Amino acid sequence: MREILLAEDNPADVYLLREALLEHSVNCAVRVAADGKDVLAILSQEGWPGGTWPPALIILDLNLPLHDGIEILPRVRAMDQMTDVPVVVLTSSDSPRDRRVAHQLGATRYVRKPSSLQQFLDLGAVFKDLLAQSAGDSARDRKNLP
């Protein structure tokens, strides 16, 4: 089963994101990291026992305790196995600087956290599309192997 790494410290947002995935029939296990230290442990595979590596999608909050998303994102992109993994920055920040820096560091998408339940649930469609695109890219890559 494909897995999603969700780097989010707010339990309410974790709940809403899980509901958004269910709402759009996204069939993936979700592994939650509540702070930047946990994210870095998972990325080093120390915290990913028994999981499918690499994750199919990373949802990254910028405002994590211990290590923030701006610190984590370049580490993700520096890993050979993670260059094609979609990373969605999901944050409360609407700062143009944060948006620009996240894209420069390799974020696939930058999404401001919604203010309504329906908008939160609609995010499931964004994640589903990214996972489908990622799976399509992987299938094409396998076909091109010698």
Side-chain angles (χ1 to χ4, degrees):
M1 174 180 275
R2 298 172 78 196
E3 294 191 49
I4 295 171
L5 171 56
L6 172 57
E8 175 58 63
D9 62 321
N10 183 328
D13 289 346
V14 170
Y15 174 81
L16 289 171
L17 288 166
R18 286 182 187 273
E19 290 299 310
L21 294 167
L22 286 171
E23 178 85 11
H24 291 274
S25 304
V26 175
N27 188 23
C28 287
V30 177
R31 195 164 300 214
V32 178
D35 62 47
K37 184 178 177 183
D38 288 346
V39 174
L40 295 176
I42 288 170
L43 292 176
S44 69
Q45 298 183 33
E46 294 170 16
W48 200 266
T52 305
W53 185 260
L57 173 67
I58 298 173
I59 303 170
L60 178 64
D61 184 6
L62 283 188
N63 300 314
L64 290 171
L66 303 181
H67 300 280
D68 66 22
I70 295 297
E71 183 180 345
I72 293 167
L73 190 52
R75 292 184 187 195
V76 169
R77 290 304 183 213
M79 300 174 72
D80 289 339
Q81 304 139 309
M82 304 291 261
T83 56
D84 295 330
V85 173
V87 178
V88 176
V89 169
L90 183 64
T91 182
S92 57
S93 172
D94 200 22
S95 160
R97 180 192 173 281
D98 285 346
R99 184 178 297 273
R100 184 180 67 255
V101 168
H103 284 295
Q104 288 170 343
L105 294 175
T108 308
R109 297 256 176 97
Y110 186 100
V111 178
R112 186 158 188 262
K113 286 183 181 177
S115 57
S116 77
L117 175 60
Q118 188 57 52
Q119 290 171 333
F120 236 113
L121 294 176
D122 290 345
L123 286 176
V126 172
F127 303 138
K128 186 173 187 171
D129 288 346
L130 285 170
L131 287 163
Q133 290 170 14
S134 175
D137 292 344
S138 296
R140 280 190 296 279
D141 291 344
R142 283 192 299 276
K143 285 182 183 179
N144 294 329
L145 290 175

